[in-house]
Amino acid sequence: MKELTPYIIKNLPNPSRFEITSKQDKVQGENIDGKNVHVQINGDEIPSLILNFMDGISKDKEAVEAIVRTINNVDATAKMTTETFKNELDTMVRTLKEQVSTIQQDKTLQQVFNKNNYVKADILIDNQLYERKSDVTLHFAFPTSNDSGIQSLHIQSATENWNMNQPVKAQPISATHYLDEKQLSDDTTGKLFLET
């Protein structure tokens, strides 16, 4: 799969909101100098981003050859040829173009693929190109209200990575206090388990 990474990066289109800025931030109390990568992809951009990516791959002869090599390396029985894969890819791109046109005209699909639905990420990359901190948000507004009263789904995730490439020393596990089978079965609330 590593062989495909350069072709994916080369053909991956940029969303309308993509910027890289210098940033200093704290990760576990340590000041980190690096770059902040900010990306936001709105629902109305997704069909055209996928189409542009697939179209770019289909026109990139080296990418097509690399994909075919990877397919054949992963599954020796596939015996995929560049010509066969290219024909299948071109068919997929034509179908996708038709589907994008349908999405743009279909009112129900427009409720899903609209600017109110988005994925947003801020990723701090240090000077050695390690991801040190990330904040990712996914927001999906449901197309129609339902009886549950739920109007949208909003998920946020935050991560921090520290001691990159440093020796790891595990804390010793104490086996002096544990629950036996009877205690576990009697512990219906989980309180005893959490206290051990």
Side-chain angles (χ1 to χ4, degrees), residues 116-177:
N116 296 323
N117 298 325
Y118 60 86
V119 175
K120 179 171 45 173
D122 283 290
I123 302 167
L124 177 66
I125 308 291
D126 71 12
N127 292 328
Q128 275 120 34
L129 302 180
Y130 289 115
E131 178 185 326
R132 300 301 297 271
K133 191 172 189 175
S134 69
D135 294 301
V136 180
T137 303
L138 167 71
H139 182 83
F140 180 77
F142 292 102
T144 56
S145 59
N146 57 33
D147 294 337
S148 70
I150 299 173
Q151 296 176 343
S152 65
L153 176 67
H154 192 86
I155 300 173
Q156 288 184 285
S157 169
T159 62
E160 290 187 1
N161 300 308
W162 61 95
N163 290 339
M164 305 298 290
N165 285 335
Q166 300 297 316
V168 175
K169 184 176 179 186
Q171 298 294 324
I173 298 172
S174 171
T176 58
H177 186 68

